[in-house]
Amino acid sequence: MAELYIRVAEEENEEPMEIPSEDDGSVLLSTVAAQFPGACGLRFRSPVSQCMRGVRLVEGILHAPENGWGNLVYVVNYPKDNKRKMDEIDAASAVKMKRGDMKTSDLIVLGLPWKTTEQDLKDYFSTFGEVIMVQVKRDVKTGNSKGFGFVRFTEYETQDKVISQRHMIDGRWCDCKLPNSKQGPDEPMRSRKVFVGRCTEDLSADELRQFFMQYGEVTDVFIPKPFRAFAFVFFLIYFWCYVCLILKRFCEGCFVHLEIKILI
């Protein structure tokens, strides 16, 4: 008698595998489980009713349907708990692979002491993992530090770890962020508002917007009416407010001052 094979797959839309039957036309559950670990049975879609039907299982032996195995594709059954665990393992593996494929980004380091050098920055962050690049931003004319810099790591997991905590660098607490990241759901609300004092009446909202857009995306500009010699600029991302404070730049003769507070 020629050996008979039946077509078996984990899902209906997947490519099936041929499983050998026994001499009497039955199929051993152990044969199925050898190719699909954890399998506890088979099911198939009835050509007549289009409903799923279970294959009769007696003492570890799968018996052919009334009309024989035919050319149908039989789908593997798993215990519910086992199937759930397998799905969780697959999902965890997919997340791990995805994270492994993710590339690192330049992180902005805010609040650096004026004395901190690039070597100091590299020495500190190297304790977390391999550092690709460090940079302390300096004034072109004076060469003095602007109070912030950038760092980049080799591994994405190292980047995540660094972002998740504050850092004591040369005796001062510093924050490390993605330059274009938005506020996370677990972060406390921080002010994204910059107070601009000593404004003149001829200074327009458009002029303020154009000036501050060089630091980050501006969502709104508010000049009180009647005129009161000050204005507010709102950023999409809160830490660009810190950059403005650090740089202490002037816009059309107006001193830029950051109003720092926790929003409730």
Side-chain angles (χ1 to χ4, degrees), residues 1 37 44 54 68 85 96 122 176 219-220 236 241 245 255 262:
M1 180 178 178
F44 66 98
K85 289 179 181 178
K96 189 174 181 181
K122 184 174 182 180
C176 205
T219 59
D220 193 21
L236 177 64
C241 298
L245 175 65
F255 181 67
I262 301 296

Side-chain angles (χ1 to χ4, degrees), residues 41-263:
L42 294 176
R43 65 185 187 277
F44 66 98
R45 188 170 298 281
S46 168
V48 179
S49 66
Q50 292 301 307
C51 293
M52 296 301 291
R53 290 183 180 179
V55 174
R56 189 160 60 94
L57 173 66
V58 179
E59 296 182 350
I61 299 175
L62 291 159
H63 295 273
E66 184 178 350
N67 297 323
W69 295 108
N71 200 37
L72 301 174
V73 173
Y74 294 85
V75 181
V76 178
N77 288 335
Y78 292 101
K80 288 186 177 180
D81 290 343
N82 185 56
K83 177 64 174 176
R84 187 179 299 113
K85 289 179 181 178
M86 291 179 67
D87 289 343
E88 289 173 355
I89 292 172
D90 289 343
S93 298
V95 170
K96 189 174 181 181
M97 289 177 65
K98 183 177 180 180
R99 289 177 64 85
D101 293 339
M102 294 179 74
K103 295 181 180 180
T104 58
S105 304
D106 292 348
L107 305 179
I108 187 169
V109 187
L110 299 166
L112 287 176
W114 308 119
K115 66 178 181 178
T116 302
T117 65
E118 291 183 349
Q119 187 60 50
D120 294 333
L121 211 56
K122 184 174 182 180
D123 290 344
Y124 173 80
F125 283 112
S126 291
T127 60
F128 293 89
E130 185 179 352
V131 175
I132 299 176
M133 177 278 297
V134 291
Q135 181 185 29
V136 174
K137 297 299 290 183
R138 299 184 179 277
D139 188 278
V140 177
K141 294 181 179 179
T142 65
N144 295 330
S145 169
K146 291 183 177 181
F148 70 98
F150 295 91
V151 63
R152 186 167 188 164
F153 296 93
T154 303
E155 300 295 332
Y156 189 83
E157 287 186 359
T158 304
Q159 173 177 297
D160 264 0
K161 184 178 180 180
V162 168
I163 291 175
S164 68
Q165 58 186 277
R166 301 197 74 196
H167 304 275
M168 178 64 73
I169 302 175
D170 288 340
R172 185 173 179 179
W173 284 109
C174 301
D175 291 308
C176 205
K177 303 288 182 180
L178 283 166
N180 59 347
S181 64
K182 297 182 181 179
Q183 183 169 313
D186 56 342
E187 289 189 74
M189 289 294 292
R190 295 178 171 88
S191 176
R192 301 176 185 176
K193 178 171 60 177
V194 171
F195 172 81
V196 185
R198 302 179 187 176
C199 295
T200 58
E201 287 194 65
D202 60 345
L203 185 64
S204 68
D206 285 339
E207 287 174 322
L208 282 173
R209 183 185 296 273
Q210 289 300 318
F211 175 79
F212 283 101
M213 280 178 62
Q214 64 184 304
Y215 302 114
E217 185 175 346
V218 174
T219 59
D220 193 21
V221 175
F222 173 70
I223 300 178
K225 293 181 180 181
F227 181 72
R228 296 171 61 186
F230 67 85
F232 292 105
V233 177
F234 298 84
F235 283 92
L236 177 64
I237 304 168
Y238 78 90
F239 65 76
W240 288 120
C241 298
Y242 288 90
V243 174
C244 291
L245 175 65
I246 291 166
L247 294 180
K248 294 182 179 178
R249 294 294 180 84
F250 291 81
C251 171
E252 301 295 331
C254 300
F255 181 67
V256 178
H257 170 70
L258 174 63
E259 181 185 79
I260 303 176
K261 66 179 181 180
I262 301 296
L263 296 181

